[in-house]
Amino acid sequence: MVSTQGRKRLVIGNWKMHGSLGANAALLCAVADGAKGLPETGVAVCAPFPYLAQCRELLAGSPVAWGAQDVSAHLQGAYTGEVAAPMLAEFGCGYVLVGHSERRAYHGETDALVVAKAARVLEAGLTPVICMGETLAQREAGETEAVVGAQLDVALDLLHADQLAKVMLAYEPVWAIGTGKTATSEQAQAVHAFLRGRVDARNAAAAKTMPILYGGSVKPGNAAELFAMQDIDGGLIGGASLAAADFLVICGA
Ligand code: PGA
């Protein structure tokens, strides 16, 4: 599960708001079975909250970890509809996505809220995957580094050094999510290297070990080229994680 750079290699499926008990059972069993043949890569799926118990039931003892797609920034209390990080820990989650662009766009999540969520995840002993990325308009305006740099800086400002050492990042250009348009491996590598350099300027130890995943229309046909890049440590896979065969090809890349 470790790259030549000594970093953890991981492919995480982001099911988004898809699934049913019946469809999940087939998918989880196929992924668990296929992952046995992929000892080089960490494999995880982030399912909707109601299905976390099913993930625990069907994945416990398998090489596949599971996680959630969001979490409350609060620990407990009168926050109707929210789910707290310790609850996710009780269901065996290993990972929690925070700040996915769909949360930022449709639920008005700010950088500060995203980092507060990451802190709750860390306090619960789980790994936050902090997602960041620019829109097409921002890329075309030459603002990619300014945008992702600002998103990252809030995490660098608010998390302690020992917390940063346990964080994972996911670079997901908004224009590549669910659109079939992938960043080229060079475009993705350039942003990953930029992010790692920015972490390095504050915390060299964390920069060396921090996995940075790429997400946005990763498919069986383009995963190997993306994952071969020096600073790309794996992927966050949306649509293609719903088909076991495709997801496993990506995990094997
Ligand atoms: P996609 O989604 O692979 O369907 O583009 C990725 C994501 O949103 O995490």
Side-chain angles (χ1 to χ4, degrees), residues 114-241:
V114 169
V115 176
K117 291 181 174 201
R120 295 298 87 71
V121 172
L122 288 159
E123 287 156 16
L126 314 181
T127 300
V129 181
I130 304 179
C131 305
M132 52 196 63
E134 81 288 1
T135 63
L136 186 59
Q138 289 165 332
R139 173 162 284 263
E140 286 175 350
E143 294 167 2
T144 298
E145 292 192 354
V147 169
V148 298
Q151 290 171 336
L152 175 61
D153 281 352
V154 180
L156 297 176
D157 288 343
L158 297 181
L159 298 176
H160 308 301
D162 57 324
Q163 290 180 311
L164 267 184
K166 296 176 187 147
V167 161
M168 297 176 56
L169 303 182
Y171 168 56
E172 296 203 304
V174 178
W175 49 273
I177 294 178
T179 58
K181 284 187 204 148
T182 326
T184 64
S185 48
E186 289 77 20
Q187 283 174 321
Q189 164 61 24
V191 178
H192 282 234
F194 168 78
L195 291 171
R196 196 176 305 287
R198 198 135 172 143
V199 177
D200 183 64
R202 302 274 196 105
N203 186 325
K208 277 200 192 69
T209 57
M210 185 178 286
I212 308 181
L213 310 182
Y214 171 78
S217 296
V218 179
K219 306 287 179 214
N222 59 24
E225 192 188 331
L226 286 159
F227 298 170
M229 303 310 279
Q230 160 120 2
D231 289 290
I232 300 181
D233 303 306
L236 182 54
I237 317 301
S241 72

